[in-house]
Amino acid sequence: MVSRPIEDDNPELALARKCIEYTGTNLFLTGKAGTGKTTFLQQLKATSHKRMVVLAPTGVAAINAGGTTIHSFFQLSFAPYVPGSEALFFKDIRFTKTKIALIKSLNLIVIDEISMVRADLLDLIDLVLRRYRDRNKPFGGIQLLMIGDLQQLAPVAKNEERQLLKKHYSSLFFFGSKALQKTPYITIELQHIYRQKEAYFVDLLNRIRNQQTDVETLKMLNERYLPDFNPNKHKNIIQLTTHNAQAHQINQACLDAIRKRAYTFEATIQGNFPDSSLPTDKCLTLKKGAQVMFVKNDSSSEKRYYNGKIGSITKINKDTIEVKCQGEGEKAFVVDPVTWENTKYELDSQTKEIHETVEGTFKQYPLRLAWAITIHKSQGLTFDNVVIDAAAAFAHGQVYVALSRCRTLDGLILSSPIQAHAIISNATVEQFTRQMKEHPVDQQQIAHLEREYYYELLNEQFDFQSLIKSTKNLTDYFAKHLQQAFPMLLEKLQNTCQSLQALVPICEQFKKQYTYLFRHTDDAKNDQTLQERIHAASKYFSVEIKKIFEQLLQQLTHVEIDNMDTASHFEDLFNRLLDDYHIKKATLEAFQYQPFDIKVYLDTKGRAVIKEEDLEKSYSPRTFSADEAKTFFATHFISSHDEVFDLYNHLLQWRKAKAKELKIPPYSILRQESLVNIAKNKPRREKDLLSIAGIGKKTLEKYGNEILEIVAEFCR
């Protein structure tokens, strides 16, 4: 059950929701720790009408966000990308037809924890999307929702990677992406903090986050430095460290200090669940008295624990673990193993909806040792009592992330004083943040973007340039490589280009009409005159493009091509034409009787690129029945004479049998064009056979006698 939308009482989140639902503008949604970014994402996933996927830079972040990693979704390597090296990345990408259809059908890509995404990774996403969507628009024309806080954890890069990338990027942060800089995007900063309620603590955190750490701030903060404090003497308190080794050492030492029997619980892993995505240990070793942290929210109606809640084990054996948490009195509860799912996105063949399907599962107790945890792993968690060792902070945002994990200042303890140099700033981030604050987004701007997006989609509805371009590209390729084999089909393609071009002036005239009506109404969707013109135009153009295309596309599906490279290029061009045609056909049909609507348009367009029954509309060479082949051959290939077709068919069957016998491709024996010319000319001597294009001395030596015998037998 979806809870009450968080944006109901939050004006910034309400603006963000409108931006995502009713515009195509890219959005960077940011805000301090605890401002509701994660909750907003969860509710957006549950209720948005847009076809979306949720991605994150790390496995753990992806599991927490209920999505998948950027690298796995796009099949990208972890190597740094520099402009011009895309061939190195594309050689390893092998998308299925269904995956390509999924990418083409998307309206929105959500990237969580964007602060950790490098600029070069965002540019790689752009390259993949433009390859399979609109090549002329950044990110293929898809909308991006980027969620995160630049004052928290920064992108990770090895020193040699930094040296390589700084030659091409002004910043490694996501906003340094060359693709993102080519597209307008807005920033909405969330203001209301849900995690901390104390005004003075919120103010302190803000000063650290905004690089305004003066002497007074450090003094107030370091009052929480308690040199004699021993966390091992206190329950339900966790230490945050800067390095993994520190956290592991503390946890192991504390566990070893408990003189009781240890129990190890083996996780059950099924399918694909990468080690980098594991929320806790595969082999989880615990003892009675061990301090633990829950690493998942309780999905039961009791809601006994949440991700980040601290407790102590009060009872343990090989079958049972009981945990008691602070504030629960003497009441302990039994913890059961839970299952995490590693999901991937797929298309439902029946509903054409995007679904998260389970690729692998990880079943384990939702616990981990919690005397210590790294600051990096604590991102997104909330604690009541924290000991922070941030003196060795080495990266931008570490101190702020650590401090902002705690609900109250009194619950925060420093194991060493924090010096000014430990609060590491980034000049590029500061400059970006200043510029962001200079251009706040308001309701009026979102309303303007919504109106312009409606007009943009209306223009797209009655723009045939993409269809004209894909038809022309196929026609040009046909003229260059397939003219001799299919002369009549080429002529039909050329006529189709002319017919499409004839629609352009009609579209331009209609555009003037609806533009005038649109500019003179405040409510386009409910303007009767405008909508009547849209209905009439949708009906007219729907009839016209069906008349132009339907017979031609049916005929093109019957084309057989011997050469593998030619066939591959033809398939690519033909499928692009099919996509453009089916999108245009579907969207025109959708608005013949109902008002033009953003939600309906996007949904119709997304569904139109999903092919029924494993892309049955796409090109694939096929075997014809005798009557079907004769009709197609006679109409589009070489001749309407039965004897020519019959001889060609004899030769085709011989070639097929020979290829099977020799275990080689049919086209390596004899090209299709050569079979056609043999059927036309009926050579009876070797000299005549050599005059056929594509037949040389080697072919004559290998197959000449058999071919001449087939011709002679046919003529007899």
Side-chain angles (χ1 to χ4, degrees):
M1 183 176 179
V2 179
S3 59
R4 182 167 172 263
I6 189 174
E7 64 264 22
D8 282 1
D9 301 315
N10 189 313
E12 290 84 19
L13 281 176
L15 288 177
R17 185 64 179 237
K18 283 188 176 180
C19 177
I20 293 304
E21 298 290 19
Y22 301 111
T23 85
T25 303
N26 295 333
L27 171 63
F28 171 39
L29 181 65
T30 187
K32 307 172 184 70
T35 49
K37 298 185 292 292
T38 300
T39 304
F40 174 77
L41 172 55
Q42 292 168 347
Q43 293 185 344
L44 184 73
K45 281 181 63 181
T47 60
S48 176
H49 69 264
K50 287 198 172 179
R51 305 171 68 87
M52 73 173 76
V53 294
V54 178
L55 308 177
T58 67
V60 173
I63 295 295
N64 289 340
T68 188
T69 65
I70 295 170
H71 290 85
S72 64
F73 184 80
F74 289 110
Q75 296 182 15
L76 300 173
S77 75
F78 288 92
Y81 163 75
V82 296
S85 66
E86 50 265 26
L88 297 174
F89 292 86
F90 282 143
K91 69 181 177 66
D92 295 324
I93 295 177
R94 295 290 184 271
F95 287 158
T96 64
K97 291 180 179 179
T98 306
K99 181 64 169 288
I100 293 170
L102 186 154
I103 290 173
K104 287 180 177 179
S105 75
L106 289 172
N107 306 135
L108 173 69
I109 290 180
V110 181
I111 303 178
D112 197 21
E113 302 291 4
I114 191 68
S115 70
M116 292 191 285
V117 175
R118 284 196 329 226
D120 61 314
L121 179 56
L122 210 55
D123 279 348
L124 269 176
I125 294 172
D126 165 68
L127 286 171
V128 176
L129 291 175
R130 283 195 290 110
R131 186 179 197 183
Y132 295 108
R133 292 172 59 93
D134 191 329
R135 298 187 180 189
N136 300 312
K137 293 181 180 178
F139 303 101
I142 202 167
Q143 185 182 28
L144 297 183
L145 168 57
M146 300 163 285
I147 302 176
D149 181 6
L150 286 169
Q151 301 299 343
Q152 298 192 38
L153 299 179
V156 176
K158 299 174 184 175
N159 186 55
E160 58 270 24
E161 292 174 337
R162 289 183 180 276
Q163 296 305 314
L164 175 66
L165 292 171
K166 74 178 185 179
K167 298 175 183 177
H168 303 274
Y169 292 96
S170 58
S171 169
L172 292 191
F173 284 93
F174 78 94
F175 54 79
S177 157
K178 297 182 183 300
L180 190 63
Q181 291 169 359
K182 293 177 183 177
T183 180
Y185 66 96
I186 63 173
T187 299
I188 294 177
E189 183 175 13
L190 306 180
Q191 302 298 332
H192 182 75
I193 297 175
Y194 295 93
R195 182 176 295 155
Q196 290 91 15
K197 305 298 182 185
E198 301 169 341
Y200 61 91
F201 188 31
V202 169
D203 179 63
L204 184 148
L205 291 174
N206 284 342
R207 277 184 269 167
I208 293 171
R209 183 178 185 273
N210 298 330
Q211 313 303 326
Q212 297 170 344
T213 313
D214 53 18
V215 174
E216 182 183 345
T217 304
L218 286 175
K219 180 182 177 182
M220 182 179 178
L221 181 60
N222 284 320
E223 286 176 0
R224 299 307 303 157
Y225 168 52
L226 305 179
D228 298 325
F229 184 83
N230 184 353
N232 297 332
K233 294 181 179 179
H234 300 266
K235 291 184 178 181
N236 299 307
I237 193 165
I238 190 167
Q239 299 180 66
L240 300 187
T241 69
T242 53
H243 293 76
N244 273 311
Q246 290 174 281
H248 178 74
Q249 184 179 14
I250 292 170
N251 283 327
Q252 194 59 51
C254 290
L255 186 67
D256 291 343
I258 298 175
R259 302 301 179 188
K260 293 183 179 174
R261 178 180 173 180
Y263 292 88
T264 299
F265 303 92
E266 297 278 348
T268 302
I269 300 177
Q270 294 183 338
N272 177 31
F273 206 107
D275 287 348
S276 60
S277 300
L278 297 181
T280 187
D281 298 334
K282 283 183 185 177
C283 299
L284 182 62
T285 301
L286 303 171
K287 296 178 180 179
K288 182 179 179 180
Q291 180 164 291
V292 290
M293 178 178 71
F294 287 92
V295 290
K296 192 175 177 66
N297 295 332
D298 185 2
S299 59
S300 74
S301 59
E302 297 164 80
K303 306 299 179 188
R304 299 162 299 174
Y305 56 83
Y306 55 82
N307 190 6
K309 190 169 188 178
I310 305 294
S312 298
I313 295 177
T314 56
K315 179 181 178 181
I316 187 171
N317 56 48
K318 63 182 182 64
D319 300 314
T320 305
I321 300 177
E322 285 188 5
V323 173
K324 176 178 171 293
C325 297
Q326 186 178 22
E328 303 292 336
E330 297 301 318
K331 185 179 178 182
F333 58 88
V334 175
V335 180
D336 296 315
V338 297
T339 300
W340 287 264
E341 295 179 342
N342 178 33
T343 59
K344 64 178 180 179
Y345 290 97
E346 289 188 344
L347 288 170
D348 187 299
S349 59
Q350 300 297 320
T351 65
K352 296 188 178 181
E353 296 290 344
I354 297 172
H355 285 293
E356 296 174 9
T357 60
V358 178
E359 194 174 28
T361 60
F362 175 83
K363 187 175 183 180
Q364 178 62 286
Y365 286 95
L367 301 168
R368 68 183 307 157
L369 293 176
W371 286 284
I373 189 176
T374 63
I375 295 170
H376 190 279
K377 286 189 174 70
S378 76
Q379 186 157 338
L381 301 180
T382 301
F383 303 116
D384 292 313
N385 298 283
V386 178
V387 174
I388 297 175
D389 178 13
F394 60 89
H396 164 80
Q398 271 191 319
V399 171
Y400 173 69
V401 170
L403 297 174
S404 60
R405 297 311 94 197
C406 199
R407 294 183 190 275
T408 65
L409 184 60
D410 287 342
L412 188 155
I413 296 161
L414 301 180
S415 62
S416 57
I418 292 181
Q419 306 297 328
H421 63 76
I423 303 174
I424 301 168
S425 64
N426 184 292
T428 307
V429 170
E430 288 180 39
Q431 182 182 0
F432 176 85
T433 303
R434 281 196 301 271
Q435 293 173 346
M436 175 186 76
K437 291 180 182 297
E438 289 171 2
H439 301 92
V441 177
D442 56 21
Q443 183 68 45
Q444 186 177 357
Q445 184 178 353
I446 294 295
H448 173 75
L449 290 172
E450 180 181 347
R451 181 174 168 81
E452 289 304 303
Y453 188 52
Y454 187 96
Y455 181 66
E456 178 188 331
L457 296 184
L458 194 56
N459 285 335
E460 192 178 278
Q461 167 82 329
F462 297 107
D463 181 5
F464 292 85
Q465 289 305 315
S466 181
L467 191 54
I468 290 171
K469 183 179 179 181
S470 57
T471 306
K472 186 178 184 303
N473 288 342
L474 181 62
T475 303
D476 291 345
Y477 190 79
F478 221 85
K480 187 174 181 180
H481 297 281
L482 299 165
Q483 181 176 8
Q484 290 185 348
F486 305 98
M488 296 178 70
L489 206 46
L490 174 60
E491 185 179 345
K492 289 197 173 226
L493 275 165
Q494 291 169 336
N495 291 338
T496 298
C497 287
Q498 294 174 4
S499 299
L500 276 175
Q501 202 63 44
L503 292 179
V504 173
I506 304 173
C507 291
E508 290 300 321
Q509 188 61 37
F510 175 59
K511 183 176 181 180
K512 292 177 182 177
Q513 295 178 22
Y514 72 69
T515 298
Y516 176 82
L517 293 170
F518 179 81
R519 297 303 181 196
H520 288 80
T521 182
D522 294 327
D523 187 4
K525 185 178 176 181
N526 294 309
D527 187 287
Q528 185 176 354
T529 305
L530 174 60
Q531 294 301 329
E532 284 176 354
R533 295 300 301 132
I534 293 172
H535 297 335
S538 296
K539 290 176 187 176
Y540 171 78
F541 288 117
S542 178
V543 170
E544 289 300 309
I545 69 162
K546 285 180 186 177
K547 193 189 305 179
I548 292 170
F549 276 104
E550 286 204 335
Q551 187 182 14
L552 172 68
L553 295 178
Q554 183 64 26
Q555 292 164 356
L556 284 169
T557 61
H558 292 303
V559 171
E560 286 194 81
I561 301 171
D562 288 339
N563 184 281
M564 291 179 67
D565 288 338
T566 304
S568 177
H569 281 91
F570 173 81
E571 180 179 4
D572 181 54
L573 292 169
F574 183 44
N575 281 333
R576 283 185 178 273
L577 172 58
L578 277 175
D579 283 342
D580 287 338
Y581 169 71
H582 285 292
I583 289 171
K584 190 60 64 181
K585 174 174 172 285
T587 56
L588 287 171
E589 289 176 347
F591 298 106
Q592 293 181 21
Y593 303 103
Q594 66 176 318
F596 189 81
D597 175 79
I598 290 175
K599 176 181 177 181
V600 175
Y601 180 83
L602 293 177
D603 187 58
T604 303
K605 183 180 176 182
R607 290 170 180 269
V609 299
I610 303 168
K611 315 276 193 305
E612 304 273 358
E613 298 176 8
D614 196 24
L615 301 180
E616 67 173 3
K617 292 180 289 195
S618 68
Y619 164 75
S620 58
R622 49 171 294 185
T623 302
F624 309 138
S625 68
D627 290 340
E628 185 182 40
K630 185 178 290 188
T631 301
F632 174 71
F633 188 88
T635 308
H636 304 291
F637 211 0
I638 55 169
S639 172
S640 59
H641 297 298
D642 283 349
E643 74 242 20
V644 177
F645 173 76
D646 288 342
L647 177 53
Y648 169 79
N649 202 36
H650 277 298
L651 292 165
L652 202 62
Q653 296 306 315
W654 164 79
R655 188 182 71 158
K656 182 179 179 181
K658 199 73 180 174
K660 186 176 181 181
E661 175 192 333
L662 299 176
K663 297 180 180 178
I664 57 176
Y667 62 81
S668 64
I669 295 173
L670 210 59
R671 296 287 179 181
Q672 196 176 48
E673 294 89 337
S674 300
L675 296 180
V676 170
N677 287 321
I678 293 170
K680 279 182 178 179
N681 299 307
K682 302 181 184 65
R684 304 296 295 273
R685 297 174 300 174
E686 289 186 357
K687 179 181 178 182
D688 299 331
L689 194 56
L690 278 171
S691 68
I692 301 292
I695 296 182
K697 290 182 179 180
K698 288 186 178 180
T699 303
L700 181 67
E701 183 180 333
K702 288 181 179 179
Y703 311 116
N705 289 337
E706 292 181 64
I707 294 170
L708 291 172
E709 179 60 33
I710 291 170
V711 174
E713 180 64 28
F714 179 81
C715 291
R716 284 196 292 271

